[in-house]
Structures are given as C-alpha cells and as structure tokens.
Amino acid sequence: MAFELLKRIFNPNKVEIELDDIQSMILRSRPIPYYGTMAAIKIKSAASGKDMIKAVLPLVHSAQDWDKNEGATVFLTLTYKGLEALGLDKSSLDSFPESFKEGMAARAKFLKDEGVNDPKHWEKAFKQEIHVAAAVIADSKEAWQDLLNQFRQELEGNTGIEVLFQHDFGATEEVKNVFGFRDGISNPEIEGSGIDMPASYDRPIKAGEFILGYPGEAGVIAPFPQPEILGKNGSFLAVRKYQSQVAEFNKFIQENSNSLEEGELLAAKMVGRWRSGAPLVLSPESDDQALGENANKNNDFSFKDDEYGKKCPFSSHIRRMNPRDSKNFVMEDVRLHRIIRKSVTFGDIVAPDIIKNDGKERGQYFLAISANAMGTMEFLQAQWVNDGNSQNLGTERDPLISVQKDGLFTVPADPMVKRYHNLQTYNIVKGGEYCFIPSLSALKWISELP
C-alpha cells in the first residue's frame, strides 16, 4: 500500500501572512520522497558573500506556490558569524538574540550537551566557523541533481567563499529513518498560511510563533531583528547532526524481549509509534500498517484517554516531545513549545536483527524551525528530553535523543509497572548551529548592502 498523503488544500481566502516573502522550507511540506544535500559555507570577504547570495537567490523559492507541486528548492540560512562576515552594521547585529549570537556550541550547558554530546567531541567541520548553512532538496533524484548542479555553478569561481562540507541525504516514499520508523509525521499548522486541514486533534498555531513580525499566541508581536526588511518574514533554525547507534538500540531490544513480537512492542513503546507510523494510542497491541500510512489519521489523536500511560508510556519519545493534552500539562504551554521539524535522514536503514555496529555514517540532520528556535530548543532539551519531573519520572530521560548511561525506561502496565535498565545513547550529536532564516526580501537587501 502506498503512503497516503495528507490532504492539504490551499485556500487563498485564509492567507494572512506574506507567503511570497517567506522561504518555502518553513511552511511547505518536505517532499515525499526526498533527495538532497546539506552544505556549510565560510565567507572570506563581505563582497564575495553578497555575490554568492545574489547568485543563488533565484534558486530560493517562496511559500507562495504552496498549492503547486512541491518541486525543488534551496534553503538558505545564516549564522551570526555569517551576518558579521557579510558586513551588517552594529545596530542590526545588536538586534539579534544573545543566544543566537553565542551559537550552539557555546550554549552546550543549556542544551544539556554533555558526555558524548559535548562540543569538544563534535566533528571537525562543526568546530570551524560556519557562516552559511544551506540545503538543496527535491522530490526526485533528477530534480535534485539538476538543482545541485545549478547551485554549485553559482558558487564556482567565487574565491571569497569556502565550502566546508557537503553531505547527501534522502528517503524513499515510506519516509523511514535509519531505525526503520516512519518519520516527520507531526508538525504544527500555522494560522494564516492558507492551508485548509481535515478535522483533527491539532488546531493551527498563531503565525508569530514561527514567523517573525506577526502576533504569537499571546496576541503580541515579539521583538525581531532590525531593520524590518531584515527581520520580518524570517525565522530561526536549530540544526543538529545526529549519528544513530541503531545496532546498540537493536541489541537493547533483543536483550529485553523474548520474541520478535515482544521486541517490536518494546521498540514502539520507546518511540510512541510502531514502525509504520501508527500511534500506540490508536493501536496499542499491534502495528496497523494502514493506519501508519494514512497521513489523515496517523496524527489525529490525543493522550486524554491514556491517563496512566498504559497505551503510550509517559517517557516515550513522541509523548515527551509533544505531550498534547497529557494530564500534567497545560495545553497553552505545550503550544508555546512546538517546533516545525524538517529533519532529513542520511545513511541506510538497519534491520532489527543487526546488533553489531558496522561503523558506517547514518543518522539525521535535525532541523527545528521557530521564531524562538534557540529558547525553544534549550527548553525542550533541558526539560522534556533530559528531565523527567514534568512527567513525574524523576531523572528518567528521553529514551532516543538524550545522553544515557545505564538509563531507565518505565512502561506502565498491568498488573505491574515494567522498568527497563541500561539504556545507552542511541543518537549522538556530532555538531550543530543556530541559524537565521532570512526572508527573500532580506536576502536581496543583504546582497545589496554597500
């Protein structure tokens, strides 16, 4: 059965934000399937950096054509050091948040990046001064290669920039991560974006929580980078590269189960979904392939009727990262901590029976978009990922994306609660950065700075 796409209907009468000025990757769905390349660039001279932006700008598409084919696009973002290298004046630079200015590595203590995730262990590429983080993405190999060649041609001959690294990624129409689970299912809808959605659990969130220059959930416009042409219609991005330890995860599952079926259930309990994408709340006993493949149904659920976590454990990954209406949470607080997640996978999927690490590079570029991406990421990492108090779980951490050493995972069940010990770190951070996502008019303005 083919993956059933979510029915997203464009309604121009519901547009309240400037779609023609907002980079498409913020609002548009990631292609299914998808193919792409991540690139990090260093700017050696302001003039060369502006020339580069001017050259690639035609390849950066807006969200205006949301109702058309997803197609191919370039996603272009800048770090604080990149804005400095481009020659922005002091008043503009000073208008950015302090956490953005410091960068992700310097914020390690707020992100709980310790042990194997400590920046001192990051890959060499992320220890360099990255100025531009870009992604080339498309819905077919041909479109991706064509756009990538155009992107590279625009960079050729510009001796004032240096490509620090390029890394290909991609996923089939099943959109599975390297653990074999369907990925990228749950994302918030943005009010005023012009998209009519089928009735479901989630309701749209105010545009200002994700796009700068608009009212947020509190009804006010938060301060944003100045002048207005620079900040409005932009956003912020937290990017983190994870190396996935799938064999170690598989070994843990095998050592704590007596059959393939029992192991699949334990894996689903840790994730909160079956490998198909079917949520445990709707299918608690066995995987439901049809449900997992139905994008109109696989995210239409709440935790209201799972008060004791016997269907989906409180400490499962999806329940920690989006508690929805779990008893211990105030709904409005949950809405303030949502992110638009456009993560992409690299490397091959590892079968559940493989328990020996082959050392190959595989994992995910975690891409989190929010008008306050720095604050949101630091809250999620410090509270929902690495602290169990919000779920009355003490020191228990997220089973998939936290730093673990002999960790604990609790599964409410009848007649007794089950506790699994000796969890390890199954996704290791190899690098990351905070980036600004300029609007199309901001990119043009930057490219024309004197």
Side-chain angles (χ1 to χ4, degrees), residues 6-53:
L6 188 63
K7 293 179 174 62
R8 306 167 68 88
I9 302 170
F10 183 73
N11 185 345
N13 296 322
K14 289 193 173 183
V15 174
E16 299 173 359
I17 58 180
E18 297 173 286
L19 296 181
D20 62 341
D21 197 34
I22 299 168
Q23 286 201 45
S24 61
M25 275 290 284
I26 300 176
L27 297 177
R28 292 171 66 180
S29 297
R30 184 182 54 192
I32 298 175
Y34 64 82
Y35 304 86
T37 301
M38 292 288 295
I41 297 168
K42 183 174 183 178
I43 297 170
K44 297 180 179 179
S45 77
S48 297
K50 293 169 196 171
D51 287 344
M52 178 198 67
I53 292 175

mmCIF file of all heavy atoms in Angstrom, residues 6-53:
data_model
loop_
_atom_site.group_PDB
_atom_site.id
_atom_site.type_symbol
_atom_site.label_atom_id
_atom_site.label_comp_id
_atom_site.label_asym_id
_atom_site.label_seq_id
_atom_site.Cartn_x
_atom_site.Cartn_y
_atom_site.Cartn_z
ATOM 1 N N LEU A 6 -1.254 13.548 3.156
ATOM 2 C CA LEU A 6 -2.191 14.404 3.870
ATOM 3 C C LEU A 6 -2.848 15.366 2.888
ATOM 4 O O LEU A 6 -2.188 15.970 2.053
ATOM 5 C CB LEU A 6 -1.446 15.198 4.943
ATOM 6 C CG LEU A 6 -2.280 16.010 5.921
ATOM 7 C CD1 LEU A 6 -3.159 15.093 6.750
ATOM 8 C CD2 LEU A 6 -1.360 16.810 6.828
ATOM 9 N N LYS A 7 -4.150 15.469 2.963
ATOM 10 C CA LYS A 7 -4.891 16.319 2.033
ATOM 11 C C LYS A 7 -4.769 17.790 2.470
ATOM 12 O O LYS A 7 -5.488 18.253 3.338
ATOM 13 C CB LYS A 7 -6.351 15.876 1.967
ATOM 14 C CG LYS A 7 -6.537 14.502 1.331
ATOM 15 C CD LYS A 7 -8.005 14.114 1.311
ATOM 16 C CE LYS A 7 -8.205 12.807 0.551
ATOM 17 N NZ LYS A 7 -7.503 11.685 1.179
ATOM 18 N N ARG A 8 -3.841 18.498 1.856
ATOM 19 C CA ARG A 8 -3.589 19.899 2.169
ATOM 20 C C ARG A 8 -4.182 20.739 1.042
ATOM 21 O O ARG A 8 -3.718 20.702 -0.077
ATOM 22 C CB ARG A 8 -2.086 20.153 2.296
ATOM 23 C CG ARG A 8 -1.396 19.228 3.287
ATOM 24 C CD ARG A 8 0.103 19.301 3.135
ATOM 25 N NE ARG A 8 0.601 20.599 3.544
ATOM 26 C CZ ARG A 8 0.939 20.900 4.793
ATOM 27 N NH1 ARG A 8 0.831 19.998 5.735
ATOM 28 N NH2 ARG A 8 1.384 22.093 5.095
ATOM 29 N N ILE A 9 -5.224 21.488 1.342
ATOM 30 C CA ILE A 9 -5.932 22.272 0.335
ATOM 31 C C ILE A 9 -5.624 23.747 0.543
ATOM 32 O O ILE A 9 -5.824 24.295 1.628
ATOM 33 C CB ILE A 9 -7.455 22.035 0.433
ATOM 34 C CG1 ILE A 9 -7.750 20.537 0.264
ATOM 35 C CG2 ILE A 9 -8.197 22.841 -0.615
ATOM 36 C CD1 ILE A 9 -9.175 20.156 0.578
ATOM 37 N N PHE A 10 -5.118 24.386 -0.521
ATOM 38 C CA PHE A 10 -4.765 25.799 -0.411
ATOM 39 C C PHE A 10 -6.016 26.655 -0.577
ATOM 40 O O PHE A 10 -6.759 26.519 -1.548
ATOM 41 C CB PHE A 10 -3.732 26.162 -1.472
ATOM 42 C CG PHE A 10 -3.263 27.584 -1.384
ATOM 43 C CD1 PHE A 10 -2.426 27.989 -0.366
ATOM 44 C CD2 PHE A 10 -3.666 28.537 -2.316
ATOM 45 C CE1 PHE A 10 -1.988 29.302 -0.270
ATOM 46 C CE2 PHE A 10 -3.235 29.843 -2.239
ATOM 47 C CZ PHE A 10 -2.396 30.226 -1.207
ATOM 48 N N ASN A 11 -6.239 27.545 0.393
ATOM 49 C CA ASN A 11 -7.385 28.442 0.370
ATOM 50 C C ASN A 11 -6.882 29.878 0.426
ATOM 51 O O ASN A 11 -6.508 30.363 1.500
ATOM 52 C CB ASN A 11 -8.312 28.156 1.550
ATOM 53 C CG ASN A 11 -9.590 28.994 1.509
ATOM 54 O OD1 ASN A 11 -9.674 29.976 0.768
ATOM 55 N ND2 ASN A 11 -10.573 28.615 2.308
ATOM 56 N N PRO A 12 -6.823 30.583 -0.705
ATOM 57 C CA PRO A 12 -6.274 31.946 -0.725
ATOM 58 C C PRO A 12 -7.033 32.910 0.184
ATOM 59 O O PRO A 12 -6.482 33.922 0.611
ATOM 60 C CB PRO A 12 -6.381 32.350 -2.198
ATOM 61 C CG PRO A 12 -7.401 31.439 -2.791
ATOM 62 C CD PRO A 12 -7.290 30.155 -2.040
ATOM 63 N N ASN A 13 -8.273 32.593 0.504
ATOM 64 C CA ASN A 13 -9.056 33.468 1.378
ATOM 65 C C ASN A 13 -8.603 33.400 2.831
ATOM 66 O O ASN A 13 -9.022 34.223 3.655
ATOM 67 C CB ASN A 13 -10.544 33.098 1.286
ATOM 68 C CG ASN A 13 -11.113 33.323 -0.103
ATOM 69 O OD1 ASN A 13 -10.769 34.293 -0.768
ATOM 70 N ND2 ASN A 13 -11.965 32.402 -0.551
ATOM 71 N N LYS A 14 -7.771 32.407 3.151
ATOM 72 C CA LYS A 14 -7.293 32.257 4.525
ATOM 73 C C LYS A 14 -5.842 32.717 4.691
ATOM 74 O O LYS A 14 -5.244 32.494 5.742
ATOM 75 C CB LYS A 14 -7.437 30.801 4.979
ATOM 76 C CG LYS A 14 -8.897 30.393 5.188
ATOM 77 C CD LYS A 14 -8.993 29.074 5.926
ATOM 78 C CE LYS A 14 -10.448 28.759 6.281
ATOM 79 N NZ LYS A 14 -10.559 27.508 7.067
ATOM 80 N N VAL A 15 -5.273 33.335 3.667
ATOM 81 C CA VAL A 15 -3.893 33.809 3.751
ATOM 82 C C VAL A 15 -3.840 35.142 4.494
ATOM 83 O O VAL A 15 -4.495 36.110 4.103
ATOM 84 C CB VAL A 15 -3.275 33.966 2.344
ATOM 85 C CG1 VAL A 15 -1.887 34.599 2.442
ATOM 86 C CG2 VAL A 15 -3.187 32.614 1.655
ATOM 87 N N GLU A 16 -3.056 35.180 5.585
ATOM 88 C CA GLU A 16 -2.911 36.396 6.385
ATOM 89 C C GLU A 16 -1.449 36.775 6.575
ATOM 90 O O GLU A 16 -1.144 37.711 7.298
ATOM 91 C CB GLU A 16 -3.585 36.200 7.741
ATOM 92 C CG GLU A 16 -5.082 35.929 7.649
ATOM 93 C CD GLU A 16 -5.696 35.560 8.992
ATOM 94 O OE1 GLU A 16 -4.937 35.498 9.983
ATOM 95 O OE2 GLU A 16 -6.913 35.337 9.051
ATOM 96 N N ILE A 17 -0.543 36.026 5.953
ATOM 97 C CA ILE A 17 0.883 36.325 6.048
ATOM 98 C C ILE A 17 1.454 36.430 4.641
ATOM 99 O O ILE A 17 0.840 35.979 3.677
ATOM 100 C CB ILE A 17 1.636 35.260 6.873
ATOM 101 C CG1 ILE A 17 1.447 33.866 6.261
ATOM 102 C CG2 ILE A 17 1.157 35.268 8.313
ATOM 103 C CD1 ILE A 17 2.170 32.767 7.015
ATOM 104 N N GLU A 18 2.632 37.023 4.514
ATOM 105 C CA GLU A 18 3.220 37.307 3.207
ATOM 106 C C GLU A 18 3.970 36.089 2.659
ATOM 107 O O GLU A 18 5.191 35.997 2.743
ATOM 108 C CB GLU A 18 4.131 38.527 3.321
ATOM 109 C CG GLU A 18 3.367 39.783 3.708
ATOM 110 C CD GLU A 18 4.288 40.962 3.982
ATOM 111 O OE1 GLU A 18 4.950 40.987 5.040
ATOM 112 O OE2 GLU A 18 4.325 41.863 3.136
ATOM 113 N N LEU A 19 3.206 35.166 2.091
ATOM 114 C CA LEU A 19 3.779 33.920 1.600
ATOM 115 C C LEU A 19 4.861 34.141 0.557
ATOM 116 O O LEU A 19 5.823 33.366 0.473
ATOM 117 C CB LEU A 19 2.679 33.036 1.005
ATOM 118 C CG LEU A 19 1.586 32.541 1.947
ATOM 119 C CD1 LEU A 19 0.602 31.674 1.181
ATOM 120 C CD2 LEU A 19 2.166 31.775 3.128
ATOM 121 N N ASP A 20 4.705 35.181 -0.255
ATOM 122 C CA ASP A 20 5.665 35.412 -1.344
ATOM 123 C C ASP A 20 7.019 35.880 -0.852
ATOM 124 O O ASP A 20 7.967 35.985 -1.641
ATOM 125 C CB ASP A 20 5.102 36.416 -2.343
ATOM 126 C CG ASP A 20 4.837 37.784 -1.735
ATOM 127 O OD1 ASP A 20 4.736 37.877 -0.483
ATOM 128 O OD2 ASP A 20 4.724 38.766 -2.498
ATOM 129 N N ASP A 21 7.152 36.137 0.469
ATOM 130 C CA ASP A 21 8.415 36.621 1.014
ATOM 131 C C ASP A 21 9.046 35.624 1.980
ATOM 132 O O ASP A 21 10.144 35.845 2.469
ATOM 133 C CB ASP A 21 8.192 37.961 1.725
ATOM 134 C CG ASP A 21 9.476 38.733 1.948
ATOM 135 O OD1 ASP A 21 10.382 38.645 1.091
ATOM 136 O OD2 ASP A 21 9.587 39.415 2.987
ATOM 137 N N ILE A 22 8.354 34.525 2.267
ATOM 138 C CA ILE A 22 8.806 33.553 3.263
ATOM 139 C C ILE A 22 9.419 32.347 2.557
ATOM 140 O O ILE A 22 8.838 31.791 1.628
ATOM 141 C CB ILE A 22 7.624 33.105 4.146
ATOM 142 C CG1 ILE A 22 7.039 34.305 4.899
ATOM 143 C CG2 ILE A 22 8.053 32.022 5.128
ATOM 144 C CD1 ILE A 22 5.712 34.019 5.572
ATOM 145 N N GLN A 23 10.617 31.934 3.000
ATOM 146 C CA GLN A 23 11.265 30.775 2.378
ATOM 147 C C GLN A 23 10.352 29.550 2.476
ATOM 148 O O GLN A 23 9.784 29.258 3.532
ATOM 149 C CB GLN A 23 12.613 30.492 3.037
ATOM 150 C CG GLN A 23 13.703 31.486 2.669
ATOM 151 C CD GLN A 23 15.098 30.932 2.894
ATOM 152 O OE1 GLN A 23 15.396 29.796 2.528
ATOM 153 N NE2 GLN A 23 15.959 31.746 3.494
ATOM 154 N N SER A 24 10.260 28.813 1.384
ATOM 155 C CA SER A 24 9.287 27.726 1.286
ATOM 156 C C SER A 24 9.516 26.620 2.304
ATOM 157 O O SER A 24 8.567 25.987 2.757
ATOM 158 C CB SER A 24 9.311 27.135 -0.118
ATOM 159 O OG SER A 24 10.582 26.594 -0.420
ATOM 160 N N MET A 25 10.762 26.366 2.698
ATOM 161 C CA MET A 25 11.036 25.262 3.610
ATOM 162 C C MET A 25 10.429 25.482 4.998
ATOM 163 O O MET A 25 10.263 24.539 5.764
ATOM 164 C CB MET A 25 12.539 25.033 3.729
ATOM 165 C CG MET A 25 13.119 24.139 2.653
ATOM 166 S SD MET A 25 12.622 22.407 2.819
ATOM 167 C CE MET A 25 13.678 21.905 4.182
ATOM 168 N N ILE A 26 10.096 26.739 5.329
ATOM 169 C CA ILE A 26 9.471 26.994 6.626
ATOM 170 C C ILE A 26 8.049 26.461 6.633
ATOM 171 O O ILE A 26 7.613 25.799 7.583
ATOM 172 C CB ILE A 26 9.470 28.505 6.956
ATOM 173 C CG1 ILE A 26 10.906 29.051 7.007
ATOM 174 C CG2 ILE A 26 8.753 28.769 8.274
ATOM 175 C CD1 ILE A 26 10.970 30.551 7.242
ATOM 176 N N LEU A 27 7.310 26.722 5.580
ATOM 177 C CA LEU A 27 5.878 26.443 5.562
ATOM 178 C C LEU A 27 5.482 25.233 4.733
ATOM 179 O O LEU A 27 4.477 24.587 5.022
ATOM 180 C CB LEU A 27 5.119 27.672 5.040
ATOM 181 C CG LEU A 27 5.222 28.940 5.887
ATOM 182 C CD1 LEU A 27 4.477 30.078 5.215
ATOM 183 C CD2 LEU A 27 4.669 28.699 7.284
ATOM 184 N N ARG A 28 6.216 24.946 3.688
ATOM 185 C CA ARG A 28 5.820 23.867 2.785
ATOM 186 C C ARG A 28 6.238 22.514 3.335
ATOM 187 O O ARG A 28 7.243 22.384 4.034
ATOM 188 C CB ARG A 28 6.436 24.077 1.410
ATOM 189 C CG ARG A 28 5.872 25.278 0.677
ATOM 190 C CD ARG A 28 6.634 25.580 -0.573
ATOM 191 N NE ARG A 28 6.500 24.514 -1.564
ATOM 192 C CZ ARG A 28 7.073 24.543 -2.740
ATOM 193 N NH1 ARG A 28 7.845 25.566 -3.068
ATOM 194 N NH2 ARG A 28 6.902 23.564 -3.605
ATOM 195 N N SER A 29 5.456 21.490 3.011
ATOM 196 C CA SER A 29 5.791 20.134 3.433
ATOM 197 C C SER A 29 7.079 19.683 2.772
ATOM 198 O O SER A 29 7.363 20.044 1.632
ATOM 199 C CB SER A 29 4.670 19.172 3.053
ATOM 200 O OG SER A 29 3.486 19.490 3.724
ATOM 201 N N ARG A 30 7.852 18.894 3.502
ATOM 202 C CA ARG A 30 9.025 18.277 2.912
ATOM 203 C C ARG A 30 8.563 17.321 1.818
ATOM 204 O O ARG A 30 7.559 16.615 1.985
ATOM 205 C CB ARG A 30 9.767 17.510 4.011
ATOM 206 C CG ARG A 30 11.075 16.882 3.596
ATOM 207 C CD ARG A 30 11.667 16.118 4.761
ATOM 208 N NE ARG A 30 10.709 15.156 5.298
ATOM 209 C CZ ARG A 30 10.858 14.519 6.452
ATOM 210 N NH1 ARG A 30 11.901 14.763 7.200
ATOM 211 N NH2 ARG A 30 9.955 13.650 6.865
ATOM 212 N N PRO A 31 9.256 17.268 0.655
ATOM 213 C CA PRO A 31 8.828 16.360 -0.418
ATOM 214 C C PRO A 31 8.792 14.909 0.029
ATOM 215 O O PRO A 31 9.525 14.499 0.933
ATOM 216 C CB PRO A 31 9.903 16.572 -1.491
ATOM 217 C CG PRO A 31 10.503 17.893 -1.196
ATOM 218 C CD PRO A 31 10.440 18.050 0.287
ATOM 219 N N ILE A 32 7.928 14.119 -0.575
ATOM 220 C CA ILE A 32 7.865 12.678 -0.352
ATOM 221 C C ILE A 32 7.860 11.995 -1.716
ATOM 222 O O ILE A 32 6.920 12.188 -2.476
ATOM 223 C CB ILE A 32 6.589 12.276 0.427
ATOM 224 C CG1 ILE A 32 6.573 12.924 1.812
ATOM 225 C CG2 ILE A 32 6.508 10.763 0.565
ATOM 226 C CD1 ILE A 32 5.292 12.657 2.583
ATOM 227 N N PRO A 33 8.910 11.208 -2.024
ATOM 228 C CA PRO A 33 10.164 11.044 -1.292
ATOM 229 C C PRO A 33 11.003 12.313 -1.381
ATOM 230 O O PRO A 33 10.612 13.272 -2.048
ATOM 231 C CB PRO A 33 10.828 9.884 -2.036
ATOM 232 C CG PRO A 33 10.335 10.032 -3.447
ATOM 233 C CD PRO A 33 8.903 10.510 -3.319
ATOM 234 N N TYR A 34 12.163 12.321 -0.702
ATOM 235 C CA TYR A 34 13.029 13.492 -0.811
ATOM 236 C C TYR A 34 14.487 13.081 -1.030
ATOM 237 O O TYR A 34 14.913 12.012 -0.605
ATOM 238 C CB TYR A 34 12.903 14.399 0.415
ATOM 239 C CG TYR A 34 13.365 13.799 1.737
ATOM 240 C CD1 TYR A 34 14.710 13.787 2.097
ATOM 241 C CD2 TYR A 34 12.442 13.274 2.641
ATOM 242 C CE1 TYR A 34 15.127 13.265 3.314
ATOM 243 C CE2 TYR A 34 12.846 12.749 3.858
ATOM 244 C CZ TYR A 34 14.193 12.737 4.191
ATOM 245 O OH TYR A 34 14.598 12.205 5.397
ATOM 246 N N TYR A 35 15.194 13.962 -1.749
ATOM 247 C CA TYR A 35 16.622 13.793 -2.026
ATOM 248 C C TYR A 35 17.274 15.150 -1.836
ATOM 249 O O TYR A 35 16.690 16.178 -2.208
ATOM 250 C CB TYR A 35 16.847 13.309 -3.462
ATOM 251 C CG TYR A 35 16.110 12.042 -3.805
ATOM 252 C CD1 TYR A 35 14.796 12.090 -4.257
ATOM 253 C CD2 TYR A 35 16.721 10.799 -3.671
ATOM 254 C CE1 TYR A 35 14.101 10.930 -4.567
ATOM 255 C CE2 TYR A 35 16.031 9.630 -3.981
ATOM 256 C CZ TYR A 35 14.724 9.703 -4.420
ATOM 257 O OH TYR A 35 14.035 8.561 -4.717
ATOM 258 N N GLY A 36 18.476 15.178 -1.271
ATOM 259 C CA GLY A 36 19.074 16.487 -1.065
ATOM 260 C C GLY A 36 20.517 16.466 -0.608
ATOM 261 O O GLY A 36 21.132 15.403 -0.455
ATOM 262 N N THR A 37 21.042 17.660 -0.390
ATOM 263 C CA THR A 37 22.418 17.870 0.052
ATOM 264 C C THR A 37 22.457 18.998 1.063
ATOM 265 O O THR A 37 21.887 20.067 0.836
ATOM 266 C CB THR A 37 23.337 18.224 -1.128
ATOM 267 O OG1 THR A 37 23.302 17.174 -2.090
ATOM 268 C CG2 THR A 37 24.775 18.439 -0.670
ATOM 269 N N MET A 38 23.109 18.753 2.190
ATOM 270 C CA MET A 38 23.400 19.806 3.166
ATOM 271 C C MET A 38 24.778 20.380 2.844
ATOM 272 O O MET A 38 25.687 19.632 2.464
ATOM 273 C CB MET A 38 23.405 19.253 4.591
ATOM 274 C CG MET A 38 22.056 18.811 5.110
ATOM 275 S SD MET A 38 20.947 20.179 5.479
ATOM 276 C CE MET A 38 21.836 20.968 6.835
ATOM 277 N N ALA A 39 24.932 21.686 3.000
ATOM 278 C CA ALA A 39 26.233 22.318 2.751
ATOM 279 C C ALA A 39 26.493 23.402 3.791
ATOM 280 O O ALA A 39 25.563 24.098 4.218
ATOM 281 C CB ALA A 39 26.268 22.925 1.346
ATOM 282 N N ALA A 40 27.744 23.510 4.205
ATOM 283 C CA ALA A 40 28.172 24.574 5.109
ATOM 284 C C ALA A 40 29.247 25.393 4.401
ATOM 285 O O ALA A 40 30.156 24.831 3.775
ATOM 286 C CB ALA A 40 28.721 24.007 6.407
ATOM 287 N N ILE A 41 29.139 26.715 4.492
ATOM 288 C CA ILE A 41 29.996 27.620 3.722
ATOM 289 C C ILE A 41 30.608 28.678 4.628
ATOM 290 O O ILE A 41 29.951 29.171 5.549
ATOM 291 C CB ILE A 41 29.181 28.296 2.596
ATOM 292 C CG1 ILE A 41 28.659 27.232 1.612
ATOM 293 C CG2 ILE A 41 30.007 29.345 1.852
ATOM 294 C CD1 ILE A 41 27.629 27.749 0.638
ATOM 295 N N LYS A 42 31.853 29.025 4.353
ATOM 296 C CA LYS A 42 32.535 30.106 5.064
ATOM 297 C C LYS A 42 32.737 31.275 4.106
ATOM 298 O O LYS A 42 33.128 31.077 2.944
ATOM 299 C CB LYS A 42 33.888 29.628 5.594
ATOM 300 C CG LYS A 42 34.629 30.678 6.415
ATOM 301 C CD LYS A 42 35.894 30.098 7.035
ATOM 302 C CE LYS A 42 36.585 31.129 7.919
ATOM 303 N NZ LYS A 42 37.798 30.573 8.582
ATOM 304 N N ILE A 43 32.459 32.484 4.573
ATOM 305 C CA ILE A 43 32.617 33.699 3.770
ATOM 306 C C ILE A 43 33.948 34.354 4.114
ATOM 307 O O ILE A 43 34.195 34.701 5.269
ATOM 308 C CB ILE A 43 31.448 34.676 4.042
ATOM 309 C CG1 ILE A 43 30.123 34.037 3.615
ATOM 310 C CG2 ILE A 43 31.679 35.996 3.319
ATOM 311 C CD1 ILE A 43 28.897 34.816 4.073
ATOM 312 N N LYS A 44 34.805 34.508 3.117
ATOM 313 C CA LYS A 44 36.128 35.099 3.355
ATOM 314 C C LYS A 44 36.135 36.603 3.162
ATOM 315 O O LYS A 44 37.011 37.298 3.678
ATOM 316 C CB LYS A 44 37.156 34.443 2.434
ATOM 317 C CG LYS A 44 37.350 32.956 2.683
ATOM 318 C CD LYS A 44 38.382 32.381 1.721
ATOM 319 C CE LYS A 44 38.616 30.908 1.955
ATOM 320 N NZ LYS A 44 39.612 30.342 1.007
ATOM 321 N N SER A 45 35.187 37.115 2.374
ATOM 322 C CA SER A 45 35.070 38.568 2.207
ATOM 323 C C SER A 45 33.602 38.923 2.060
ATOM 324 O O SER A 45 32.818 38.145 1.486
ATOM 325 C CB SER A 45 35.857 39.051 0.994
ATOM 326 O OG SER A 45 35.167 38.765 -0.210
ATOM 327 N N ALA A 46 33.211 40.086 2.583
ATOM 328 C CA ALA A 46 31.810 40.503 2.544
ATOM 329 C C ALA A 46 31.309 40.595 1.109
ATOM 330 O O ALA A 46 30.194 40.154 0.796
ATOM 331 C CB ALA A 46 31.645 41.840 3.258
ATOM 332 N N ALA A 47 32.122 41.144 0.229
ATOM 333 C CA ALA A 47 31.709 41.302 -1.163
ATOM 334 C C ALA A 47 31.428 39.948 -1.813
ATOM 335 O O ALA A 47 30.441 39.769 -2.532
ATOM 336 C CB ALA A 47 32.782 42.053 -1.945
ATOM 337 N N SER A 48 32.280 38.961 -1.534
ATOM 338 C CA SER A 48 32.095 37.624 -2.100
ATOM 339 C C SER A 48 30.840 36.973 -1.536
ATOM 340 O O SER A 48 30.115 36.273 -2.251
ATOM 341 C CB SER A 48 33.317 36.758 -1.810
ATOM 342 O OG SER A 48 34.466 37.294 -2.442
ATOM 343 N N GLY A 49 30.595 37.193 -0.255
ATOM 344 C CA GLY A 49 29.397 36.635 0.365
ATOM 345 C C GLY A 49 28.131 37.210 -0.239
ATOM 346 O O GLY A 49 27.161 36.481 -0.508
ATOM 347 N N LYS A 50 28.128 38.493 -0.487
ATOM 348 C CA LYS A 50 26.961 39.137 -1.104
ATOM 349 C C LYS A 50 26.770 38.661 -2.537
ATOM 350 O O LYS A 50 25.632 38.448 -2.985
ATOM 351 C CB LYS A 50 27.138 40.654 -1.061
ATOM 352 C CG LYS A 50 27.102 41.240 0.337
ATOM 353 C CD LYS A 50 27.544 42.696 0.332
ATOM 354 C CE LYS A 50 27.883 43.170 1.730
ATOM 355 N NZ LYS A 50 28.508 44.502 1.728
ATOM 356 N N ASP A 51 27.883 38.493 -3.248
ATOM 357 C CA ASP A 51 27.788 37.967 -4.614
ATOM 358 C C ASP A 51 27.181 36.570 -4.626
ATOM 359 O O ASP A 51 26.384 36.230 -5.509
ATOM 360 C CB ASP A 51 29.179 37.932 -5.259
ATOM 361 C CG ASP A 51 29.684 39.319 -5.636
ATOM 362 O OD1 ASP A 51 28.853 40.253 -5.685
ATOM 363 O OD2 ASP A 51 30.902 39.460 -5.869
ATOM 364 N N MET A 52 27.578 35.750 -3.644
ATOM 365 C CA MET A 52 27.042 34.395 -3.556
ATOM 366 C C MET A 52 25.535 34.419 -3.315
ATOM 367 O O MET A 52 24.772 33.703 -3.981
ATOM 368 C CB MET A 52 27.720 33.623 -2.424
ATOM 369 C CG MET A 52 27.180 32.215 -2.225
ATOM 370 S SD MET A 52 27.601 31.505 -0.612
ATOM 371 C CE MET A 52 26.643 32.569 0.472
ATOM 372 N N ILE A 53 25.083 35.243 -2.376
ATOM 373 C CA ILE A 53 23.648 35.328 -2.073
ATOM 374 C C ILE A 53 22.885 35.807 -3.299
ATOM 375 O O ILE A 53 21.835 35.258 -3.647
ATOM 376 C CB ILE A 53 23.414 36.264 -0.867
ATOM 377 C CG1 ILE A 53 23.975 35.623 0.402
ATOM 378 C CG2 ILE A 53 21.922 36.565 -0.706
ATOM 379 C CD1 ILE A 53 23.910 36.511 1.622
#
